[in-house]
Amino acid sequence: MNLCRIMPAVLCAAGATGLASAQDVKPQAVTAVPFTAVKFTDEFWSPRLETNRRVTIPFAFKKCEETGRIDNFAKAGGLMPGKHEGLRFNDSDVFKVIEGAAYSLTVQADPQLDRYLDDLIAKIAAAQEPDGYLYTIRRLNPDNPPDGCGATRWSYLAQSHELYNMGHLYEAAVAHFQATGKRTLLDVALKSADLIAREFGPTARHGVPGHQEIEIGLAKLYRLTGERRYLDLAKFFLDERGYAHDRELYGEYAQDHQPVLEQDHPVGHAVRAGYMYCGMADVATLTGDERYIGAIDRIWQNMVAKRMYVTGGIGARGGEEAFGDDYELPNATAYCETCAAIANAMWNQRMFLLHRDAQYVDVLERVLYNGFLSGVSLSGDLFFYVNPLASDGKAKRQAWFDCSCCPTNVVRFLPSVPGYVYAVGDGAVYVNLFVAGSGQIPLGGQTVALTQATRYPWDGNVQMTITPEKSAEFTVYVRIPGWAGDQAVPSDLYHFLEKPAAQPTLRVNDAAVPLDVERGYARVKRTWQAGDRVELALPMAVRRVVANPAVKDNVDRVALQRGPIMYCVEAVDNGGEVADLILPDDAALRAEPVPTLLGGVTILRGTATRGDAP
């Protein structure tokens, strides 16, 4: 390949676009402002990101060492003797932690971590076979690979995870190159991608990955290098699903029951599905293919209207880690895998970038605060794989799992959260999330500094200061969350019992301005001067949320929400038992800040009665 086409180390959030200079990259109307240009100084997210940097990343590397995940590369590369340890997809965990570590390096230099990555990448490079193939469990067992790997390369793609692993390698390689400018891991990734591009295609092998992910990684390689074959390969893997070209279909579990362009609702393994929808959104964005946009629009509409939990979690069936039928949303047996929440967040970010509609950010925010964060402890070293909505108290966060996809996914996702706050395009700035801190936003040939002062999510008052380098006319779109009005989610799956007691308000330089709302955003178009202020006030009453009656498990049940936060009624706060609590519709509920609890939270108080436990 032409190495000159790769740009120097451009810093960019996971999922953002615009990395390649090649002319065949389709311009995108709206792009995310990269997380490297956004700094958090708040009391909610900032400590969590710092804990991820100081605790979770080194903890995850330590676990990868203790469980043989890293030694597998050294063994496969002939650097040490021994057999493969663990599961066939354990390579991917190492790649995900590298990705998270690379993100950490972009915001804070750490020579020790940098050297550690150099040593680890050398082991990965040694494990790669001369033609680019990389799969440690096969290289260590070439003549008798374990069950699930397939007798030969690519012979059991339904379960082997050979291509899934590579997707995470590609994401890690792009992140590491952007963070350090070093090509060491990127060269491994490109060698692998070139092999797979030769092996698969319309005139070659017609297999597809059983577990999607490589499509996302290939799209990132394309954005970085401008090499069209990577995008073509991602699209090929998607286009081949549902077609029995020289192979057997995998069925609904792997979203391989019908062509992706004909699918209209989410099915099967929730993480595989979420990653596939992200890949489809990437292809739609990069090619402008309206058929892809139409397909993921249909799937998203069904998900948000019939197959999503009130926390933003997805995946109702534990046995298959899968979506259920329409309105099949049990509470105690909900699976809601942490990885699935991350996939849902990534998917909704991509949907926003396609459509510039706040409804997708509403779902993204719901996932961030509720479906995702429950998956990691405040200490940063304990994790949930499954996040049910009801528990008998036996569910405990764990330090690690045999299948540790969720802890390693947390490692890479948390540092990318600042990249979801702002977006820019078409002469406008989009303020999507409310977090105290600052962003440096490229707009119209200059940099616009935007700072936020807020105690969100506990307080709905947000003060923004906008400082362009020189005065300029542009539009600032400020998201008005659906929960601040009368919309719990962008469908009739959940709704508030009460009407909002007050409406959001907006002020510019202390003067009230009417809410000019378009697609969920308040538009403020003016000639901005350095130091101009925008003040958003979002009323945060306690709201009762009820489900569509078709959700049988939630008939006569109510959830409690304040701002973006869904609340949990816990036995430790209620005399040791909660299953028999009944909350009268007229019971008063009040919010109470408790600075000494869990780093400072706002709790809800009210009076319930007790009845017979269901």
Side-chain angles (χ1 to χ4, degrees):
M1 64 176 295
N2 181 2
L3 301 183
C4 295
R5 296 185 70 186
I6 298 180
M7 292 181 69
V10 180
L11 302 181
C12 173
T17 60
L19 292 178
S21 58
Q23 293 181 353
D24 56 356
V25 176
K26 181 180 180 295
Q28 188 170 340
V30 175
T31 59
V33 173
F35 74 91
T36 51
V38 180
K39 181 176 177 59
F40 286 176
T41 58
D42 71 317
E43 297 176 357
F44 187 93
W45 286 106
S46 186
R48 287 167 168 81
L49 268 62
E50 180 63 9
T51 296
N52 189 73
R53 185 186 71 83
R54 290 187 303 101
V55 177
T56 313
I57 290 173
F59 175 81
F61 274 135
K62 180 172 181 288
K63 285 296 183 181
C64 285
E65 293 170 355
E66 292 175 351
T67 58
R69 283 166 165 82
I70 291 176
D71 282 350
N72 284 337
F73 290 99
K75 294 172 185 176
L79 304 178
M80 66 181 292
K83 298 180 179 180
H84 186 278
E85 297 181 60
L87 302 170
R88 61 194 180 281
F89 41 78
N90 279 1
D91 293 357
S92 66
D93 291 329
V94 179
F95 300 145
K96 283 186 282 185
V97 183
I98 291 174
E99 183 183 351
Y103 292 155
S104 178
L105 286 177
T106 64
V107 295
Q108 184 160 334
D110 186 333
Q112 183 177 355
L113 177 59
D114 192 21
R115 288 191 299 270
Y116 181 90
L117 290 180
D118 287 344
D119 180 66
L120 175 53
I121 291 168
K123 294 175 183 176
I124 294 171
Q128 187 171 36
E129 298 186 33
D131 65 352
Y133 187 77
L134 179 56
Y135 190 43
T136 62
I137 195 167
R138 184 180 303 285
R139 188 159 198 191
L140 288 167
N141 303 275
D143 300 321
N144 188 28
D147 291 343
C149 298
T152 59
R153 291 184 183 184
W154 327 120
S155 63
Y156 193 35
L157 290 176
Q159 295 296 337
S160 69
H161 287 64
E162 288 162 280
L163 298 176
Y164 166 83
N165 289 354
M166 292 303 94
H168 282 302
L169 167 65
Y170 303 163
E171 292 202 73
V174 170
H176 182 256
F177 175 72
Q178 291 170 344
T180 67
K182 299 175 184 178
R183 295 189 54 100
T184 47
L185 191 59
L186 181 62
D187 285 342
V188 172
L190 295 177
K191 191 174 183 180
S192 163
D194 290 343
L195 168 69
I196 296 172
R198 292 193 302 270
E199 291 275 346
F200 292 86
T203 60
R205 188 184 298 270
H206 284 168
V208 300
H211 195 314
Q212 301 89 321
E213 218 289 330
I214 193 172
E215 301 85 353
I216 300 172
L218 286 167
K220 288 190 177 182
L221 287 182
Y222 169 64
R223 286 180 169 120
L224 181 70
T225 68
E227 291 290 348
R228 180 74 191 202
R229 64 180 174 275
Y230 301 142
L231 176 59
D232 289 343
L233 182 58
K235 188 173 184 296
F236 168 80
F237 282 139
L238 292 168
D239 286 342
E240 276 295 299
R241 302 194 87 84
Y243 290 104
H245 293 155
D246 306 321
R247 67 182 184 89
E248 293 184 4
L249 298 181
Y250 310 150
E252 283 195 357
Y253 176 76
Q255 300 79 40
D256 191 34
H257 57 298
Q258 65 182 147
V260 296
L261 297 180
E262 297 176 12
Q263 296 184 29
D264 58 11
H265 58 274
V267 296
H269 190 277
V271 181
R272 299 178 190 224
Y275 285 168
M276 186 178 86
Y277 307 144
C278 287
M280 292 174 67
D282 284 339
V283 168
T285 298
L286 291 167
T287 66
D289 192 327
E290 294 292 339
R291 299 171 303 161
Y292 268 82
I293 297 172
I296 52 175
D297 282 350
R298 294 191 303 271
I299 295 168
W300 185 87
Q301 288 288 348
N302 179 271
M303 185 272 290
V304 80
K306 299 178 180 179
R307 302 190 179 199
M308 183 180 73
Y309 282 92
V310 74
T311 58
I314 52 175
R317 296 179 181 174
E320 296 180 325
E321 304 182 342
F323 286 99
D325 294 329
D326 287 350
Y327 302 111
E328 182 186 341
L329 294 165
N331 297 310
T333 59
Y335 205 71
C336 290
E337 184 180 339
T338 299
C339 284
I342 291 171
N344 199 18
M346 292 165 53
W347 178 24
N348 276 277
Q349 169 75 344
R350 286 163 165 81
M351 295 297 284
F352 156 72
L353 294 174
L354 273 171
H355 294 299
R356 289 173 281 175
D357 194 311
Q359 65 179 337
Y360 304 108
V361 186
D362 284 351
V363 177
L364 166 63
E365 181 183 69
R366 181 170 294 273
V367 174
L368 283 178
Y369 284 103
N370 304 288
F372 162 67
L373 268 187
S374 56
V376 58
S377 66
L378 286 173
S379 62
D381 56 3
L382 296 170
F383 309 90
F384 275 140
Y385 192 111
V386 182
N387 297 270
L389 274 72
S391 170
D392 59 6
K394 295 179 182 178
K396 304 288 184 182
R397 290 187 180 91
Q398 299 180 43
W400 203 249
F401 308 87
D402 288 339
C403 173
S404 273
C405 54
C406 293
T408 54
N409 231 350
V410 168
V411 167
R412 73 179 187 128
F413 182 69
L414 259 174
S416 74
V417 169
Y420 293 84
V421 176
Y422 303 110
V424 63
D426 286 346
V429 175
Y430 291 80
V431 181
N432 282 333
L433 300 177
F434 308 113
V435 183
S438 60
Q440 302 297 314
I441 302 169
L443 182 71
Q446 65 169 317
T447 297
V448 177
L450 198 160
T451 63
Q452 292 189 43
T454 180
R455 291 193 63 253
Y456 198 91
W458 310 120
D459 189 296
N461 294 315
V462 184
Q463 298 179 358
M464 291 169 260
T465 302
I466 298 171
T467 304
E469 293 174 330
K470 56 184 178 182
S471 63
E473 183 181 83
F474 55 89
T475 302
V476 175
Y477 287 89
V478 179
R479 183 174 69 95
I480 306 299
W483 61 256
D486 202 27
Q487 187 181 72
V489 296
S491 72
D492 65 354
L493 184 55
Y494 304 103
H495 68 273
F496 294 120
L497 278 182
E498 312 95 339
K499 294 293 182 182
Q503 297 296 322
T505 61
L506 197 67
R507 301 178 68 85
V508 177
N509 293 336
D510 297 324
V513 297
L515 287 181
D516 176 18
V517 178
E518 176 187 277
R519 296 184 179 183
Y521 290 93
R523 295 183 298 180
V524 184
K525 184 176 182 179
R526 66 194 308 271
T527 298
W528 297 91
Q529 310 286 343
D532 280 348
R533 300 181 313 281
V534 176
E535 298 175 52
L536 175 67
L538 300 171
M540 282 194 171
V542 182
R543 310 284 292 276
R544 288 169 168 83
V545 183
V546 295
N548 186 303
V551 183
K552 301 302 182 185
D553 289 79
N554 284 335
V555 172
D556 294 329
R557 294 185 183 275
V558 65
L560 300 177
Q561 179 173 351
R562 180 178 180 271
I565 303 291
M566 301 303 306
Y567 278 78
C568 178
V569 180
E570 297 186 282
V572 68
D573 302 318
N574 292 278
E577 179 61 62
V578 294
D580 60 345
L581 287 181
I582 298 173
L583 183 65
D585 288 349
D586 59 353
L589 298 167
R590 68 182 186 279
E592 178 182 312
V594 185
T596 58
L597 179 65
L598 301 174
V601 298
T602 296
I603 67 171
L604 304 184
R605 290 193 182 276
T607 301
T609 62
R610 293 194 181 273
D612 295 329

